[in-house]
Amino acid sequence: MWKTVSAIFLGRAARAEERLENDNAALIIEQKVREATAGQDAAKRALASLIARSNADRKALEGVERRIADLETRTRAALEAGKTTLAQDAAKLLADLENERAVRQRTLAGAEEKADRLRLALEKTERQLVDLRQGLITAKAIERERVAMRNIKGDISANAAVREGEDVLKRLLESEDPIAEIDALDEVEAQLSGDAVIDRLADAGFGDARKVRAEDVLARLSGENTTADASA
């Protein structure tokens, strides 16, 4: 029982969350665009910093390589001149410079690799950001359509009311005539009570009719007119 109630609660919560998200989709997407743009700007600054550092490392490496080339020339000259001690000191300095060159080469390669990865990530994110901005335009258009639909909801309701009224009128027109029902009921009662037989006898000239009929009224009025003409 508890599992069922829990599932229903979670389902309703998820549905409510989804409905809230749909109703505010444009607002949410717009906020995500702002966040993504801020992150993209920060990544661009980081890339610029990496590029600047790589340029500085490259210049430093070029300086070390120039010193190594110059020192190698000097060391060879010292060896050729028989200055062994001086050549040994130069060789030690040359070894230090070559070690520094190796470190700077690794540092430069690492910085350039990071810059390349970051550049690729920026390009990918930029394309996604463009798609998201276009999606924001679509979301705002959908939102305007929904607002417009809500604004014409009254018109739709009025049309529905008109159709319902037409259905009621149609049913009324198609219903049986209440007066006809009353006449039919009187006729049934007359037949059951025997009054129908008396009416038939009266029509045949045997006795007076139970009710005054239109024919009787016309006959009486015609007779009055004839008498009046004779008197005149």
Side-chain angles (χ1 to χ4, degrees):
M1 179 66 181
W2 171 248
K3 290 183 179 180
T4 302
V5 174
S6 178
I8 293 173
F9 177 77
L10 292 175
R12 289 182 176 177
R15 185 178 299 173
E17 182 180 358
E18 182 178 354
R19 187 182 302 111
L20 181 63
E21 183 177 289
N22 290 337
D23 292 341
N24 298 275
L27 183 62
I28 295 172
I29 295 174
E30 190 172 13
Q31 176 59 28
K32 295 305 177 183
V33 167
R34 283 194 292 267
E35 293 175 3
T37 302
Q40 190 77 339
D41 291 341
K44 289 177 181 178
R45 289 192 295 270
L47 177 59
S49 177
L50 277 174
I51 293 173
R53 194 177 75 185
S54 296
N55 292 336
D57 290 341
R58 188 177 295 104
K59 289 180 180 179
L61 178 60
E62 291 172 353
V64 171
E65 288 177 341
R66 284 194 299 269
R67 290 185 63 190
I68 290 174
D70 179 67
L71 189 56
E72 283 180 346
T73 301
R74 293 174 187 273
T75 303
R76 289 191 188 95
L79 287 172
E80 292 175 356
K83 303 294 184 180
T84 306
T85 302
L86 184 58
Q88 288 177 347
D89 292 340
K92 290 179 182 178
L93 179 57
L94 188 59
D96 291 340
L97 288 173
E98 288 180 353
N99 290 328
E100 181 181 352
R101 180 178 63 184
V103 171
R104 288 189 180 278
Q105 285 175 339
R106 289 194 297 270
T107 301
L108 178 60
E112 289 178 341
E113 183 183 359
K114 288 180 181 178
D116 289 340
R117 290 202 307 267
L118 184 55
R119 187 180 291 106
L120 291 175
L122 277 169
E123 291 174 356
K124 179 180 178 181
T125 304
E126 191 66 28
R127 290 193 298 269
Q128 293 173 335
L129 190 54
V130 169
D131 292 341
L132 189 59
R133 289 194 179 104
Q134 292 176 347
L136 176 59
I137 295 173
T138 302
K140 287 183 176 180
I142 293 174
E143 193 171 86
R144 287 193 296 269
E145 290 174 2
R146 288 180 175 176
V147 171
M149 290 301 296
R150 283 196 292 268
N151 290 337
I152 66 173
K153 185 178 180 181
D155 296 336
I156 296 175
S157 299
N159 292 337
V162 169
R163 288 195 298 271
E164 291 175 359
E166 290 175 345
D167 292 339
V168 172
L169 178 60
K170 181 179 179 181
R171 288 193 296 271
L172 176 62
L173 294 176
E174 292 177 351
S175 63
E176 295 182 359
D177 186 1
I179 302 300
E181 292 180 1
I182 294 174
D183 292 341
L185 181 60
D186 290 343
E187 184 178 350
V188 171
E189 290 180 350
Q191 290 176 354
L192 293 177
S193 63
D195 290 341
V197 176
I198 296 174
D199 291 337
R200 288 166 58 195
L201 290 170
D203 291 338
F206 304 108
D208 296 331
R210 292 186 308 109
K211 296 180 179 180
V212 177
R213 298 171 298 180
E215 305 91 271
D216 299 333
V217 173
L218 288 175
R220 175 170 54 79
L221 294 176
S222 297
E224 292 177 353
N225 290 337
T226 300
T227 302
D229 293 340
S231 299

